[in-house]
Structures are given as C-alpha cells and as structure tokens.
Amino acid sequence: MPELPASADVVVVGAGIIGLTTALELDRRGYKVCVRERNRLDVPNCSWAGGGMLSPLPPLQPVPELEPLLSQSLAMYPDYCAQLQEKTGIDPEYWVCGA
C-alpha cells in the first residue's frame, strides 16, 4: 500500500465510486485529498457488485420523495462521465442500454 502523504486537508476512506467522486469534487475545490482503501485498489468491492447499473428509482423500495433527486442524478451522469474521461484520460465506458 502506498505511503500516506505528509499532510492532507481531507482523508476519504473508501475508493469505490462514492469515495473517488467525493475526492474528485474536493480536489476541484482546492482541497488536498488523500484516498485510503481497506484493501488494494485493484480488488473489486462494492462498486463492482453493482455491475455499472444505474436506476432512477430504488428497485425494491421506491421512495416517491427521492424520485426528483434520483432522476436529476441520472440525467447528470453522462456529462459526469465525459468530465471524468477528460480529466483522467480513462474511459468510464458509460453506455445506455436495456431498461
């Protein structure tokens, strides 16, 4: 595991999509960020289990109050993926298909 930096403004624990997105946004706002993961970064954990599926509603227990937020988030995701690819040079391989 890489050594910790000498200092950071924020430490994000978890290098899944939520942790990395949080770190990216903090970095964009000028914070010095350190991301730590319990396991190695190349070992899939929770983000892998989702298989890249995005849904505007929770599949098992829909909550009507969340629908606007979930729909807005889903609509923003294509631009977010384009920004990720531009910033990192890594293609997130986002494509729309199925339900």
Side-chain angles (χ1 to χ4, degrees):
M1 185 170 280
E3 290 190 29
L4 291 171
S7 68
D9 298 316
V10 179
V11 175
V12 175
V13 179
I17 188 143
I18 302 279
L20 292 176
T21 300
T22 300
L24 180 62
E25 289 302 316
L26 289 166
D27 177 72
R28 284 183 185 168
R29 294 172 184 180
Y31 292 94
K32 186 174 177 182
V33 182
C34 174
V35 178
R36 301 308 294 166
E37 177 59 67
R38 172 177 58 176
N39 299 314
R40 295 182 359 221
L41 296 181
D42 61 341
V43 177
N45 289 304
C46 292
S47 295
W48 171 83
M53 296 174 284
L54 299 174
S55 172
L57 293 173
L60 300 176
Q61 298 176 338
V63 178
E65 295 82 9
L66 290 179
E67 186 176 349
L69 176 64
L70 296 170
S71 294
Q72 181 182 5
S73 178
L74 183 63
M76 295 169 64
Y77 198 70
D79 286 339
Y80 173 71
C81 287
Q83 291 172 18
L84 277 178
Q85 186 166 359
E86 183 179 319
K87 182 168 180 69
T88 66
I90 299 169
D91 182 0
E93 300 180 19
Y94 173 70
W95 55 286
V96 178
C97 69

